[in-house]
Amino acid sequence: MNGAMFRTLLGLVWFCTSLAHAAARPDELKILSGTDRSPTRGEVKETARFTELPSWATSVAFSADDQTLAIGLKNRVQLVDVSHKTLGRALEFKAGQVRSLSFSADGKFLAVGGYQFAGLVDAQTGALLHELKGHRGSVTGVAFSPDSKFLATACEDEVGRIWTLTPEPMSKELRGHGYPLTAIAWSADGTLVATAAGDELRPTKAGQVKVWNAATAEVKHTFELHSKAATGVAFSPDGRFLLSSSVDEHVNVYDLTSGKPLGYFAGHSRPTNAVSVHPDGETAVSVSGGRAVGKNELMIWEFETGEPLVALEAHEAKITAVAVSHNGSLVATAGQDKSVALWNTAFLTIGLSQSVAATGTTSATNPAASTDVAADQVAVPIQAATALQTENAPAAPKTLRVGVIGLDTSHAPAFAKTLNASKPVAGAEGCRVVAAYPKGSPDIKTSLERVPEYTEEFKKMGIEIVDSIEELLKRVDVVLLETNDGRPHYEQLLPCLKAGKPCFIDKPIAGSLADAIAIFEASKKYKVPVFSSSSLRFGKNSLAVRAGSIGQVMHCFTTSPASLEPSHPDLFWYGIHGVESLFTVMGKGCESVVRSVNSDGKIEVTGKWKGDRTGIYREGPGYTGTAQGEKGEAAVGSYDGYDPLVIAIVKFFHTGEAPVSPEETLEIYAFMEAADESKRQNGKPVTLESVMEKARQEAAKKLAQ
């Protein structure tokens, strides 16, 4: 996944793949976990708030260069200088409440939608150039096509329109909804338009979402899965996914390739009023509010998996609108509390700036130039990535052919997209995925179901699909062992080692501690390097503490989700993420653990380190933690996206030097195995050495076979 994200406490949700066809009933879309919410702000910081506006704001939009924010108010549009966080001029329109705003990508125009009014405005002078007539209700959505030649409008008169802007505005109609339209959006390639519709005053009526061929105005997809009015729509940058918000408190996600829904995000406690997709192509930003019960929330989450990133109560009243800057470093929210807030989301832009710059957004190469993002939040990670590229590696490294084993995890396509990008993020150059062997888990249902989808995704990227690991090894220099199931890793790895192919082994490294030991022993025997790590090891705040920012750490706790898979020890399957963060901060030296359950029924494992140091792993809905050191306290455990891990993998492939030692990796798995043993012994302390000794004996038997 591009982008850099970290997980804070939040309740959620999610979703099965290929749950139902587009004609499915709303109650057929299932979520897989509950909604235990403990939202925190984490690294998302409020950088500005414009209060005491003359009326409550109903829309917000960033200009193409991210220098200007437009705010829709009653009979006016208020402009904001984003760099200086100051109010600029106001543009007056007799349009009632300005319900929608959009800047054209070429920077020339601002579209304004109000009551029976849609106007095309000169973005530089503020002059009204054209009034687009014919709307018989409030214009609730305006959106420019990516080439700035067309404007799409949504209206409460139940009609969408696509306007040709030159030489004179002319429109064709999108007819087919039976309710007022509430939003409209273009796909990034300009071929599709999506609309949302529904009537908030008729709560028993379902919401509607339609996808249209922009050239012919014909309907391609119809979804009626919201139990109440749909309020917003947004495409992913690659055009594969569509998201829709609704009064039913959900955000639905649809796969437009298959024409089927994936499921819904149910983390909000009030109606979801708008949704946007971050430029990283993986992250959704949604807002809620509007009833007496619940919170007015800004939430950030991974839309393919439902993984929560951020949740915070952003306004004192209903949040009406949200916009994400084109460089991804700012989010703007508008509320009925007569305020508009700017939020620093620079943590999502790690590894993103170069790819965003390629789209032509002038400020994207330096987010700090157009926002208040601190240099150490944007520039430092990019510099660090560059260092990973150049240190101990040739100036122009040979392009290594990468093979992937196992297409049953989202990591596989995410890594491939990063490595095969036309302009890879700094530090990820010199490796390209050329072949993949799809087969992964033999019996885990969720993994098996993903293989066909990810196989097709690899084919679309031009990556060859082969029938065996042996065939794969003929075509590649290095291997990503991505099988979601750790149990077959040892058998899958052996042919790679015998062929002399360095290998990154995704989490969990194995299905047992004994197999993990066998893997490293086999690596030593064949003299071929391997390494394994969760992406959480490369969270920048955890790495800063490991590097000594607060001196020696005496106490630390980390959290992560810990969904269980019966075929694996409890923490191996997903708790590994939080445990990896814990060891990143604490380092080696854990001697014993005690596993217990806290008052909420969640897993808690307390480890005792040499030197009277303590490290605690806690099951939780987000990725967070705190470390106490000799020089103070610091936040740890953040998730900063996959790119830092991919960069470390690329460096490993070019240098043969693993960034994590076998000894530390084995101690991590011994920690988790000892936690399982403590569970079997009703919470008694278990030493890591005791489980290691038993596992060594089992590994020796495996190696002797």
Side-chain angles (χ1 to χ4, degrees):
M1 310 180 214
N2 263 340
M5 309 171 267
F6 78 107
R7 320 298 210 205
T8 58
L9 298 176
L10 158 64
L12 131 92
V13 0
W14 199 243
F15 355 14
C16 312
T17 57
S18 302
L19 289 174
H21 189 267
R25 300 189 311 273
D27 60 2
E28 289 180 324
L29 286 175
K30 304 298 183 182
I31 57 175
L32 300 182
S33 59
T35 54
D36 171 29
R37 2 172 163 268
S38 302
T40 62
R41 295 195 179 200
E43 291 188 7
V44 174
K45 298 178 182 178
E46 180 181 322
T47 65
R49 186 173 292 263
F50 306 98
T51 60
E52 299 181 2
L53 298 171
S55 63
W56 52 275
T58 49
S59 51
V60 284
F62 284 97
S63 61
D65 62 3
D66 292 332
Q67 297 293 314
T68 301
L69 178 73
I71 302 171
L73 303 167
K74 186 175 181 179
N75 291 320
R76 71 165 61 180
V77 175
Q78 177 65 61
L79 301 180
V80 172
D81 183 326
V82 175
S83 297
H84 298 93
K85 305 183 198 63
T86 56
L87 296 178
R89 59 181 170 168
L91 310 178
E92 303 292 336
F93 302 97
K94 293 182 179 180
Q97 199 73 41
V98 174
R99 297 280 297 276
S100 50
L101 293 164
S102 178
F103 284 95
S104 61
D106 62 11
K108 295 180 179 179
F109 306 116
L110 169 66
V112 180
Y115 179 67
Q116 296 186 348
F117 173 86
L120 192 64
V121 176
D122 187 306
Q124 303 303 315
T125 67
L128 179 63
L129 302 175
H130 297 286
E131 184 175 347
L132 310 179
K133 297 182 178 181
H135 301 92
R136 294 183 295 107
S138 290
V139 177
T140 54
V142 290
F144 282 99
S145 62
D147 61 8
S148 304
K149 294 180 179 179
F150 303 93
L151 179 72
T153 59
C155 185
E156 288 182 339
D157 61 10
E158 303 182 2
V159 179
R161 296 169 174 85
I162 297 178
W163 300 82
T164 302
L165 300 180
T166 56
E168 289 292 325
M170 297 178 62
S171 71
K172 55 187 172 186
E173 295 183 339
L174 307 176
R175 289 187 175 271
H177 283 292
Y179 301 107
L181 270 66
T182 56
I184 198 161
W186 283 88
S187 63
D189 64 3
T191 63
L192 302 176
V193 168
T195 50
D199 190 343
E200 292 190 40
L201 300 179
R202 302 168 70 188
T204 62
K205 300 298 182 181
Q208 298 175 330
V209 175
K210 291 183 182 292
V211 180
W212 311 76
N213 183 310
T216 66
E218 296 176 344
V219 175
K220 291 196 64 175
H221 303 287
T222 296
F223 303 102
E224 296 190 2
L225 299 174
H226 286 297
S227 60
K228 298 180 181 180
T231 57
V233 283
F235 285 95
S236 62
D238 61 7
R240 177 180 173 186
F241 297 98
L242 181 73
L243 286 70
S244 61
S245 54
S246 170
V247 177
D248 65 9
E249 302 182 5
H250 296 166
V251 180
N252 286 359
V253 182
Y254 316 92
D255 185 337
L256 299 183
T257 302
S258 64
K260 296 180 180 180
L262 287 179
Y264 65 90
F265 178 80
H268 286 281
S269 59
R270 285 182 174 180
T272 55
N273 302 315
V275 62
S276 185
V277 175
H278 191 271
D280 66 5
E282 300 166 346
T283 309
V285 183
S286 51
V287 294
S288 64
R291 282 207 300 262
V293 178
K295 297 178 179 180
N296 307 300
E297 296 161 312
L298 165 65
M299 291 192 172
I300 304 176
W301 45 282
E302 180 184 310
F303 60 76
E304 281 197 68
T305 64
E307 289 285 349
L309 312 181
V310 174
L312 57 89
E313 192 161 8
H315 288 263
E316 295 180 357
K318 174 182 177 180
I319 306 176
T320 56
V322 66
V324 181
S325 64
H326 298 84
N327 63 27
S329 61
L330 282 179
V331 166
T333 54
Q336 288 187 350
D337 56 2
K338 294 187 177 182
S339 77
V340 168
L342 290 175
W343 307 90
N344 184 325
T345 54
F347 77 96
L348 290 172
T349 68
I350 298 174
L352 176 66
S353 58
Q354 287 192 358
S355 60
V356 175
T359 67
T361 304
T362 56
S363 63
T365 55
N366 185 7
S370 60
T371 72
D372 69 333
V373 180
D376 63 351
Q377 291 177 289
V378 177
V380 169
I382 295 173
Q383 291 168 356
T386 304
L388 283 172
Q389 175 193 1
T390 57
E391 183 183 346
N392 297 322
K398 168 191 173 184
T399 297
L400 297 175
R401 300 169 300 165
V402 181
V404 178
I405 297 174
L407 300 184
D408 60 353
T409 169
S410 61
H411 293 194
F415 291 1
K417 288 175 184 177
T418 297
L419 294 174
N420 289 17
S422 57
K423 292 186 177 181
V425 296
E429 306 93 342
C431 285
R432 186 170 185 83
V433 179
V434 298
Y437 171 62
K439 188 176 179 181
S441 175
D443 55 10
I444 296 176
K445 183 174 181 292
T446 55
S447 293
L448 292 171
E449 289 173 345
R450 295 172 181 149
V451 173
E453 175 187 349
Y454 292 145
T455 299
E456 287 304 310
E457 198 166 339
F458 266 59
K459 288 179 179 178
K460 289 177 182 178
M461 286 190 276
I463 298 170
E464 182 183 6
I465 303 300
V466 299
D467 295 330
S468 67
I469 292 177
E470 288 69 26
E471 285 300 314
L472 179 87
L473 296 175
K474 294 176 183 178
R475 294 161 169 79
V476 304
D477 305 303
V478 292
V479 175
L480 295 171
L481 178 45
E482 293 299 320
T483 303
N484 207 26
D485 185 346
R487 292 171 299 167
H489 280 181
Y490 176 75
E491 285 73 17
Q492 292 174 323
L493 176 68
L494 278 180
C496 304
L497 298 180
K498 292 177 181 178
K501 312 292 184 180
C503 187
F504 167 76
I505 309 168
D506 215 328
K507 66 86 190 166
I509 190 173
S512 68
L513 177 58
D515 272 13
I517 294 172
I519 282 172
F520 284 116
E521 288 299 317
S523 169
K524 189 184 303 182
K525 174 182 176 180
Y526 292 103
K527 299 180 180 179
V528 179
V530 300
F531 99 91
S532 179
S533 174
S534 158
S535 54
L536 270 292
R537 172 168 290 274
F538 299 95
K540 65 180 181 182
N541 57 9
S542 298
L543 290 177
V545 172
R546 185 180 178 99
S549 63
I550 59 172
Q552 185 181 32
V553 175
M554 302 306 296
H555 177 78
C556 177
F557 80 85
T558 59
T559 69
S560 76
S563 56
L564 306 182
E565 165 51 48
S567 60
H568 288 62
D570 283 357
L571 296 183
F572 276 42
W573 189 249
Y574 217 86
I576 174 61
H577 289 308
V579 177
E580 186 97 44
S581 291
L582 183 64
F583 272 80
T584 302
V585 174
M586 296 292 294
K588 295 185 298 179
C590 183
E591 297 177 320
S592 66
V593 302
V594 171
R595 172 177 163 141
S596 59
V597 176
N598 63 22
S599 59
D600 295 326
K602 304 297 185 182
I603 298 169
E604 183 168 297
V605 181
T606 301
K608 294 294 184 182
W609 264 254
K610 294 178 182 178
D612 198 27
R613 301 162 63 223
T614 306
I616 302 173
Y617 165 78
R618 292 172 180 154
E619 178 186 2
Y623 298 82
T624 186
T626 300
Q628 296 174 350
E630 298 166 320
K631 301 178 183 178
E633 183 176 289
V636 296
S638 67
Y639 171 66
D640 293 343
Y642 289 147
D643 281 359
L645 171 59
V646 174
I647 291 167
I649 293 170
V650 169
K651 182 184 178 184
F652 162 72
F653 283 156
H654 280 294
T655 66
E657 298 176 5
V660 188
S661 71
E663 293 77 17
E664 184 163 339
T665 298
L666 288 175
E667 191 168 312
I668 289 171
Y669 283 83
F671 177 98
M672 295 188 292
E673 179 62 41
D676 242 29
E677 183 61 30
S678 178
K679 175 186 176 182
R680 289 188 283 270
Q681 296 184 25
N682 298 315
K684 291 183 179 179
V686 174
T687 66
L688 270 65
E689 180 54 34
S690 66
V691 296
M692 280 291 290
E693 180 56 33
K694 180 180 178 182
R696 289 189 195 102
Q697 294 174 11
E698 295 173 3
K701 294 177 183 178
K702 179 179 283 287
L703 291 165
Q705 293 174 357

